[in-house]
Every structure is written in structure tokens, then in C-alpha cells.
């Protein structure tokens, strides 16, 4: 019997495993896929520089992962969208767009979100109360539903406040030159990770945890850490024996996995201003960015289309070529003088909506679901502990450093238990 079995080798799982191993415990990490990293998945075959298919940025200078990034000697690129951010709504462009009178009526959304006192309401209700139309309405939707991924009629204002979404809008971002998934791989370097182990059953109790794979392999340990994504847990694809307590299922009801996909485009030549960092817009795709900035002028021109919410579901439902064509037609609309569709060389859709190992991109709190992350994190299932970005309450939720912090917390819970029972 092992000391600890960790389910999932994403950021939360490898962090929990690494910390438990450092505490002298025998650890096995079981992972369904043939790689470490989970939603951190860098493409190194799209062009000569890494392109992120999942998580892309280290968000803010306060991210919990910085000590690991520095200790690992990773080179980083500062990505401050700031001056290079272009917004195009209804044919009008920033900065001229920002003088639209409807935006004055909208007020300071970020301040209002930070200071939100409740009672809870959805983003759609909040925006409707402002009684704004046109540019201000699109702007509000863009600001409040782009990172959290949910649709405006699902997203809880209390949840957005507690998830500290505001910090994302105010901080700076960084990329890892080597590709973001180099970080979890680095943390997993000395761990026993069993790849291709698709967990179908978790048996738990006061004496330990046994995980069983689809092919009947089993690993038993004195304690377990579950880092399965919210989307996977909600499908009941993994059976818990005994069933999880009602508090856990209620917590999962209060959370939702938001739809997200990326379409990566490689072009023959760069057709955008070298200073461009991000392009926000109001079509079937609301954000494009270039993985180039900070990498120099002579690298292959690539654009990433970042698609969330109902727009992601729509592109997910199309065949890949048709989904890619939607983005190209959108770019032609935004840049009619250039016609980017004539310059494209290759595209790739990365669809997290249908990915069976995530069932979505990352989690958000549904209207009425405040407190669900803490309830999911609670160590109230005997020897089975909980981590993963959905369980984070101490930092910006649903990001890489949230997963990391949750892994550290779960490892501390496991080692405290191991110490107590020794
Ligand atoms: C498109 C996209 C863009 C993002 N951008 C950013 C960003 O810029 N910055 C940021 O900080 N965050 C970003 N995120 C969020 C970030 O990727 C996640 O918050 C974080 O990686 C989650 O880590 P985790 O360990 O909790 O979950 P995961 O990485 O999902 O790890 C869970 C692991 O469990 C495994 N698993 C699933 N089912 C089973 C099973 N049955 N048996 C065994 N193993 C199983 C999975 O394969 C996976 O490896 C983004 C996410 C997406 C999808």
C-alpha cells in the first residue's frame, strides 16, 4: 500500500504529489492522458516557437507559482496588453470608442464588482439594471464574461467578486518562453506518474483510498487527493464508493465548467501592427491575441482566437474547417484592407468543451452558488482530500496558480493526517 494516491497530473495533482513526496511520503499519481499538465498543454509542432493550447499566462506578480518559476530557472516574457490592446465594437475602434456617452452611464464596472455587497444576482441582471445599450452593453459583457467563461444569465456576481476576477483585469501577465506545460513537468520530474490510468472508481473511507482504472488496475493508499476537473466530476464518469456526501454534490451544483476553445492560426506574413497585443471585438469571437509579442520581429506570425461561453459552444458544434472559417471571415470583417483569410497557412482548433478529461475550460460560480468552492475543498471525506482549480478560495479562482495553491493545501492536509496517525 502507498502512502498517497493522487488522481490527475495537472498543476494541482503534481503540486500535491511533489509536496507529499518532499514530506517523505510514498506517492503515486494516476493520470488518464499520456502526458503531464492537464489544461496546461503547449503545442511545439505548430511553428518554431511554443504556442499555448490551454493555459497561457502567469496572471499577476502575486501569483503563488512565482517561487517555483524562479527556482526552476524558467525564462519569462512580460505580456502587458495595455497600450497594444485594440477594441473594435460596432465598427468603431479604441481609443475613440472610449468617449462613447453610453460608457459614462455604465460607470466603473470593475470597482462595482469589487465592492459588490449583494444580494446575489446574475451578470445579465446587473447589466440590465444599468439600462445601457449599444457599445456599453457589449463592453460590459466583454468585461464580465470573458475570463469567467459562463454566459451572463448564469454567472453569479457574488461568485465573480469572491473569485477575484478584478485582479485579472488589473494585473500584468507573463509567459514562459519554454511553454507553460514545462512548469508542471518540472514539478513532476521525480514523481511516480502512471500515465494512461483512466480512473473509473474511487473507494474511500477512514482507512484509505483505492482507485480503480477502466482496465481493472488498482492503486491503494492510506490517503488520496482528487484533482478531477469539475466538468468530469459532474458527469459521474467516475464512481465514488461510498457516494460522496450531499455537501459535495451541492457544491458541484453551484459550480459550472465554462465552455472555451481556441483556434490557432498561422499566417504567411504578419498583417497587424507590430505593437498589437490583443484585439477585442464583438463578433463570433471576442478576443484575438498574438503569442508573438515579446518574442521579437522575425518569428512566425500566429494569432490565437479565444472563444468562450455560447460562442464556444457554437464553434465546437461545427466541423473543424468550418469553425476555422468563421474566425477567418471575422478577421476579414475586422481588417477588410488586409483580408487575412488570403494569408492563412494553417489552423488548429483546440476544443476544451468536448474534451472528455475536462468537459470544459475552467469553472465559474453559478448564480446562488456562493461558497461552493470552499464546500468542495472541505476535508470531510475521511482519507480522501480535494484539490484542483475548482476548489480554490485563496487567490484568483480557476487559474493555474489557484490549482497550484489548492495542491499545496491538500498536501498539507494529507501530511497533517499522516503525522497524526503515525
Ligand atoms: C483554453 C484555456 C486557457 C486558459 N488560460 C489560462 C491562463 O492564461 N492562465 C491561467 O492561470 N489559467 C488558465 N487556464 C486555466 C488553467 O489551465 C487551469 O485552472 C489549471 O490548469 C487547472 O489545473 P488542475 O490541476 O486543477 O486541473 P487539470 O489541469 O484539468 O488536471 C486534471 C487532470 O486530471 C486528469 N483526469 C481527468 N479525468 C481523469 C480520470 N478519469 N482518471 C485519471 N485522470 C483524469 C486530466 O487528464 C488532467 O490531467 C486556462 C484554461 C483553458 C482551458
Amino acid at each position: 500500500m502507498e502512502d498517497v494516491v493522487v488522481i490527475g497530473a495537472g498543476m494541482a495533482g503534481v503540486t500535491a504529489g511533489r509536496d507529499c513526496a518532499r514530506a517523505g511520503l510514498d506517492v503515486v499519481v494516476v493520470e488518464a492522458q499520456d502526458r503531464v499538465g492537464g489544461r496546461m498543454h503547449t503545442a511545439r509542432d505548430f511553428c518554431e516557437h511554443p504556442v499555448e493550447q490551454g493555459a497561457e499566462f502567469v496572471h499577476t506578480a502575486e501569483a503563488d507559482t512565482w517561487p517555483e518559476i524562479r527556482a526552476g530557472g524558467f525564462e519569462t516574457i512580460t505580456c502587458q496588453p495595455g497600450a497594444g490592446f485594440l477594441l473594435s465594437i460596432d465598427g468603431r475602434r479604441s481609443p475613440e470608442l472610449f468617449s462613447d456617452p453610453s460608457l459614462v452611464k455604465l460607470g466603473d464596472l470593475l470597482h462595482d464588482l469589487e465592492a459588490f455587497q449583494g444580494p446575489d444576482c446574475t451578470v445579465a441582471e446587473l447589466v440590465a439594471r444599468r439600462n445601457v445599450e449599444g457599445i456599453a452593453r457589449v463592453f460590459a459583457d466583454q468585461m464580465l464574461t470573458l475570463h469567467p467563461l459562463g454566459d451572463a444569465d448564469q454567472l453569479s456576481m457574488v461568485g465573480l467578486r469572491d473569485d477575484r476576477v478584478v485582479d485579472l483585469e488589473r494585473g500584468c501577465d507573463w509567459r514562459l518562453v519554454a511553454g507553460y506545460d514545462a512548469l508542471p513537468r518540472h514539478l513532476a520530474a521525480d514523481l511516480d506518474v502512471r500515465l494512461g490510468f483512466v480512473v473509473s472508481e474511487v473507494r474511500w473511507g477512514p482507512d484509505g483510498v483505492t482507485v480503480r482504472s477502466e482496465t481493472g488496475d488498482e492503486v491503494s493508499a492510506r490517503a488520496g487527493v482528487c484533482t478531477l476537473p469539475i466538468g468530469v466530476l459532474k458527469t459521474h464518469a467516475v464512481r465514488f464508493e461510498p457516494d460522496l456526501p450531499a455537501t459535495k454534490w451541492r457544491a458541484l451544483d453551484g459550480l459550472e465548467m465554462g465552455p472555451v476553445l481556441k483556434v490557432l492560426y498561422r499566417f504567411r506574413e504578419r498583417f497587424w501592427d507590430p505593437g498589437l497585443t490583443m484585439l477585442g471585438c464583438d463578433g463570433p469571437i471576442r478576443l484575438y491575441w498574438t503569442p508573438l509579442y515579446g518574442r521579437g520581429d522575425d518569428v512566425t506570425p500566429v494569432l490565437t482566437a479565444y472563444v468562450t461561453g455560447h460562442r464556444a459552444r457554437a464553434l465546437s458544434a461545427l466541423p473543424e474547417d468550418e469553425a476555422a472559417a468563421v474566425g477567418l471571415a471575422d478577421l476579414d470583417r475586422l481588417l477588410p484592407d488586409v483580408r487575412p483569410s488570403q494569408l492563412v497557412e494553417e489552423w488548429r482548433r483546440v476544443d476544451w468543451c468536448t474534451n472528455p478529461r475536462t468537459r470544459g475550460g475552467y469553472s465559474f460560480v453559478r448564480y446562488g452558488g456562493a461558497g461552493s468552492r470552499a464546500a468542495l475543498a472541505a476535508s470531510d471525506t475521511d482519507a480522501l482530500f480535494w484539490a484542483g482549480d475548482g476548489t480554490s478560495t485563496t487567490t484568483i479562482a480557476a487559474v493555474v496558480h489557484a490549482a497550484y495553491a489548492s495542491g499545496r493545501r491538500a498536501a498539507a492536509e494529507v501530511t497533517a493526517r499522516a503525522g497524526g496517525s503515525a
Side-chain angles (χ1 to χ4, degrees):
M1 186 184 263
E2 308 291 336
D3 291 325
V4 190
V5 59
V6 178
I7 307 168
M11 194 62 180
V14 299
T15 304
R18 194 280 313 260
D19 277 16
C20 288
R22 273 191 181 169
L25 301 174
D26 290 328
V27 179
V28 170
V29 182
V30 291
E31 165 56 52
Q33 301 188 66
D34 60 359
R35 61 178 180 83
V36 164
R39 281 171 271 167
M40 303 170 79
H41 189 196
T42 308
R44 294 183 176 80
D45 59 348
F46 194 67
C47 59
E48 85 288 354
H49 57 78
V51 181
E52 303 297 350
Q53 304 181 109
E56 184 132 2
F57 303 106
V58 182
H59 290 300
T60 79
E62 288 75 42
D64 305 60
T65 42
W66 276 111
E68 303 285 359
I69 294 169
R70 293 196 186 102
F74 291 103
E75 193 187 338
T76 54
I77 300 173
T78 307
C79 304
Q80 182 58 280
F85 189 99
L86 181 66
L87 188 59
S88 168
I89 300 176
D90 202 16
R92 294 171 61 194
R93 295 205 164 183
S94 58
E96 174 266 329
L97 177 84
F98 293 132
S99 55
D100 190 87
S102 70
L103 288 174
V104 176
K105 200 169 162 193
L106 185 64
D108 185 347
L109 264 187
L110 291 184
H111 169 268
D112 296 353
L113 172 55
E114 201 168 25
F116 190 75
Q117 291 296 324
D120 199 6
C121 67
T122 64
V123 163
E125 284 163 348
L126 180 103
V127 175
R129 277 180 216 153
R130 299 284 157 102
N131 207 13
V132 288
E133 287 303 329
I135 285 177
R137 206 178 176 89
V138 179
F139 188 77
D141 196 50
Q142 179 100 351
M143 193 155 271
L144 294 176
T145 69
L146 199 56
H147 167 74
L149 297 186
D151 289 329
D153 59 350
Q154 298 177 305
L155 277 162
S156 152
M157 283 301 294
V158 171
L160 288 187
R161 180 199 63 198
D162 294 351
D163 280 357
R164 305 179 203 198
V165 169
V166 167
D167 294 351
L168 275 178
E169 299 293 335
R170 296 198 173 135
C172 183
D173 296 328
W174 284 264
R175 280 197 180 90
L176 260 60
V177 173
Y180 211 173
D181 65 7
L183 181 61
R185 285 204 232 163
H186 168 70
L187 296 183
D190 296 326
L191 287 175
D192 178 357
V193 183
R194 313 246 169 111
L195 297 174
F197 192 113
V198 183
V199 174
S200 58
E201 185 180 271
V202 179
R203 299 197 295 277
W204 59 277
D207 299 328
V209 172
T210 296
V211 297
R212 186 180 171 80
S213 77
E214 281 180 352
T215 52
D217 296 323
E218 290 197 347
V219 178
S220 295
R222 274 176 265 282
V225 178
C226 177
T227 77
L228 291 170
I230 302 291
V232 172
L233 290 166
K234 282 171 84 93
T235 60
H236 296 260
V238 177
R239 201 168 79 84
F240 288 85
E241 182 56 46
D243 194 7
L244 295 176
T247 46
K248 289 282 186 257
W249 289 117
R250 263 200 305 278
L252 287 165
D253 282 345
L255 299 168
E256 203 63 62
M257 201 72 164
V260 63
L261 62 76
K262 285 181 173 179
V263 188
L264 314 176
Y265 295 101
R266 199 180 71 214
F267 295 96
R268 262 200 304 285
E269 61 190 63
R270 185 179 65 201
F271 51 83
W272 53 90
D273 185 291
L276 178 80
T277 53
M278 292 191 169
L279 169 60
C281 42
D282 56 348
I285 289 160
R286 287 189 306 177
L287 194 62
Y288 297 89
W289 68 66
T290 160
L292 301 185
Y293 57 97
R295 290 192 198 273
D297 285 340
D298 54 353
V299 289
T300 309
V302 172
L303 277 186
T304 297
Y306 184 73
V307 198
T308 62
H310 62 86
R311 293 172 180 81
R313 278 194 293 273
L315 288 200
S316 172
L318 295 175
E320 183 171 7
D321 284 2
E322 286 179 34
V326 168
L328 290 171
D330 190 41
L331 284 169
D332 283 354
R333 171 185 73 87
L334 292 163
L335 302 160
D337 299 340
V338 184
R339 297 205 31 93
S341 63
Q342 307 303 306
L343 298 173
V344 74
E345 275 183 350
E346 195 183 334
W347 56 75
R348 177 181 301 175
R349 175 176 60 181
V350 188
D351 185 355
W352 295 93
C353 312
T354 54
N355 186 320
R357 303 295 166 229
T358 59
R359 300 277 170 201
Y362 41 91
S363 57
F364 66 88
V365 180
R366 291 184 72 95
Y367 167 68
S372 296
R373 294 194 192 279
L376 189 61
S379 47
D380 54 0
T381 44
D382 293 329
L384 179 62
F385 295 88
W386 296 83
D389 68 350
T391 70
S392 154
T393 54
T394 58
T395 181
I396 303 168
V399 296
V400 165
H401 65 265
Y404 172 83
S406 77
R408 298 215 68 179
R409 183 219 348 105
E413 291 165 350
V414 169
T415 49
R417 180 186 165 91
S421 61

